[in-house]
Amino acid sequence: MFEHRGNPETLDVTIQKFIAWRKAAGMSPKTHPVFNIWHTERRPTNPADYRMELCVGIDADQFIDPADETVREGEIPGGRCAVLRVTGDTHNLEPAALYLYRDWLPPSGEEMRDFPIYCQRFFLDEPELGTAAELHLPLK
């Protein structure tokens, strides 16, 4: 997990560091799943409060160097989730996340679990289709 804290306008710097680290570790998105975890809204009142994590799935036998302060081990807990797939342009997933939170959740009778919304990103085999992301809203 790579954490980004602070102004979302600087997120691209964190993304580029994450991609470079992932490539150096030999972790392709085709062989290791890629996730984002959002701990705050996309545009908090105070940009310094923005927090999200960029994650890559690893095998149990893979080693993460504890001396590397840019990355840490973590876990996305299993369990039930409402899942919404978005294809094409996945740069702004806020409308889809708001749909899950504001439109789907209240009438569903479901309750959120104590874990933030996250997504798994996919790189489609047909590049002209763009990318895909599955938003996961953890449920009790």
Side-chain angles (χ1 to χ4, degrees), residues 18-54:
F18 170 72
I19 291 170
W21 177 86
R22 186 178 42 77
K23 285 180 177 179
M27 295 185 206
S28 163
K30 292 183 185 222
T31 58
H32 293 78
V34 177
F35 300 90
N36 299 134
I37 303 171
W38 291 281
H39 297 276
T40 63
E41 60 192 50
R42 186 169 188 243
R43 302 237 182 258
T45 304
N46 179 358
D49 292 337
Y50 182 74
R51 180 174 168 234
M52 67 131 4
E53 291 172 305
L54 304 147

Side-chain angles (χ1 to χ4, degrees), residues 1 5-6 14 31 35 55-56 60 66 69 77 86 91 93 104 127 132 137 139:
M1 295 182 159
R5 277 190 187 260
T14 304
T31 58
F35 300 90
C55 313
V56 63
E69 295 179 7
V86 177
H91 286 91
L93 295 172
W104 180 84
L137 182 66
L139 303 173

Side-chain angles (χ1 to χ4, degrees), residues 32 57-64 73:
H32 293 78
I58 61 171
D59 297 323
D61 62 346
Q62 284 183 288
F63 175 75
I64 300 296
E73 283 191 35

